[in-house]
Amino acid sequence: MNLQNLVRKNIASLVPYSSARDEFTGEAQVFLDANENPFNEPYNRYPDPLQRKLKQKIAEIKNVTPDKIFLGNGSDEPIDLLIRAFCEPETDNIVTIDPSYGMYQVAANINDVSIRKVPLSANFTLDPMTVLHAVDLHTKLIFLCSPNNPSGNNLSRSAMHHIARHFKGIVVVDEAYIDFSPGNSLLPDLDRHKNLVVLQTFSKAWGMAGIRLGMAFASPEIIGILNKIKYPYNLNILTQEKALEMLENKGQVENWVATLINERNRISAELEKLDQVKTVYPSDANFLLVSVENAGLIYNKLVEKGIIVRDRSKVNLCAGCLRITIGSPEENNLLLEALKNINLA
Ligand SMILES: *Cc1c(COP(=O)(O)O)cnc(C)c1O
């Protein structure tokens, strides 16, 4: 893979915006270079454009060097930036698995980049050959998602490796739910595959969907391209501070994850006992894909009881399926009680 040939020409030759904080990064007594207001510390100051302090901390926890980390306004930002950096509108395409996370398609559509969806096999497994067969000369990115949303299962590691080894473009593996599936991250394989991008997020296990913080891990060369085209100050001070605070509470996060995995196993077993439930798919994430009798009706009855799940019955391979997030033990009990009392007759 030659990254300079892969990236769009206008991006390769782009001169990025150079902010005051890019041009002078050290300590000083008086900063009169960014037209900031001298009052209202600390929010009067622009944030660090490269989020060095936060990256240092994340680097320690994830066991990667800071130059392999990009931080964005949710994972949605690197998804969009990757498509913008590598795909020429109206010409290039991306390949994704189906069903999967809807943002790959939306980001491609916004950028006028076509998308080729490869159906997963039985039980939502990944066949690397079908994915590679969907690739043509204009395919720049392949998006995989493991554990996959909405199916909940991990994709096969060897299948993902096979794709990364044989594809000449960039392979993005979205690991938004990886903390619920310990030991399965592709992060340790970044050095092996120079074309691999791993996405993770603070929105799920870390309990911080509201602060909008997503991570992309990749070679320093790929990270450099994302840094070049991002908004200069894409992460605000509040987000960076809150995330640093949360990173000191890693034990808390581990407790939440343990509770949610326990609950997932309990709810899965309880759901299996209900007449309305046909299949509970195995999950490596914090949600369950459940095939039921009359999904639309059950969805509406739950709404009447104030319980909102996601109706995925229109999604490919998910006919009749609801996607149920694992909540607190109390919330999960309310769901089970409500389901037991729904009369389909
Ligand atoms: C929830 C989710 C995300 C998280 O997106 P953010 O923008 O980081 O909140 C990413 N990918 C998948 C597959 C998801 O389900």
Side-chain angles (χ1 to χ4, degrees), residues 114-182:
S114 57
I115 169 167
R116 302 173 160 211
K117 294 185 180 183
V118 178
L120 289 171
S121 307
N123 294 318
F124 304 108
T125 51
L126 174 67
D127 173 22
M129 294 318 292
T130 359
V131 170
L132 290 171
H133 277 139
V135 166
D136 73 1
L137 285 173
H138 290 292
T139 305
K140 298 297 169 70
L141 298 159
I142 296 177
F143 281 89
L144 304 173
C145 182
S146 179
N148 187 37
N149 179 5
S151 54
N153 58 310
N154 283 322
L155 301 181
S156 140
R157 274 184 90 82
S158 62
M160 291 191 285
H161 277 297
H162 185 92
I163 291 169
R165 214 177 307 122
H166 290 94
F167 179 49
K168 299 274 181 286
I170 307 279
V171 177
V172 184
V173 179
D174 187 340
E175 296 187 346
Y177 300 97
I178 198 68
D179 303 280
F180 303 101
S181 174

Side-chain angles (χ1 to χ4, degrees), residues 210-331:
I211 73 168
R212 310 307 300 130
L213 181 55
M215 300 169 269
F217 302 92
S219 71
E221 292 72 31
I222 295 177
I223 297 301
I225 291 169
L226 298 180
N227 282 337
K228 190 170 156 179
I229 66 173
K230 76 183 184 72
Y231 288 166
Y233 304 108
N234 59 329
L235 280 198
N236 67 70
I237 290 181
L238 300 173
T239 293
Q240 296 188 50
E241 280 179 352
K242 208 68 202 166
L244 277 167
E245 203 179 299
M246 198 67 214
L247 285 162
E248 298 301 325
N249 287 327
K250 205 163 152 275
Q252 169 73 268
V253 174
E254 282 159 8
N255 287 338
W256 288 336
V257 168
T259 301
L260 292 171
I261 291 175
N262 253 329
E263 282 294 290
R264 179 185 76 205
N265 298 339
R266 177 177 79 93
I267 302 313
S268 174
E270 290 297 320
L271 287 172
E272 300 262 16
K273 295 179 193 162
L274 300 180
D275 288 339
Q276 300 96 313
V277 171
K278 292 199 267 189
T279 314
V280 181
Y281 289 95
S283 171
D284 301 296
N286 67 334
F287 59 85
L288 293 167
L289 187 70
V290 185
S291 160
V292 295
E293 304 281 355
N294 207 336
L297 185 76
I298 292 184
Y299 175 84
N300 287 330
K301 296 265 184 191
L302 286 173
V303 170
E304 280 170 25
K305 294 167 194 265
I307 298 172
I308 317 300
V309 298
R310 198 85 193 263
D311 184 355
R312 299 279 78 185
S313 50
K314 302 277 180 309
V315 170
N316 199 16
L317 305 182
C318 297
C321 286
L322 300 175
R323 193 195 68 189
I324 304 175
T325 306
I326 303 302
S328 67
E330 299 72 30
E331 291 172 329

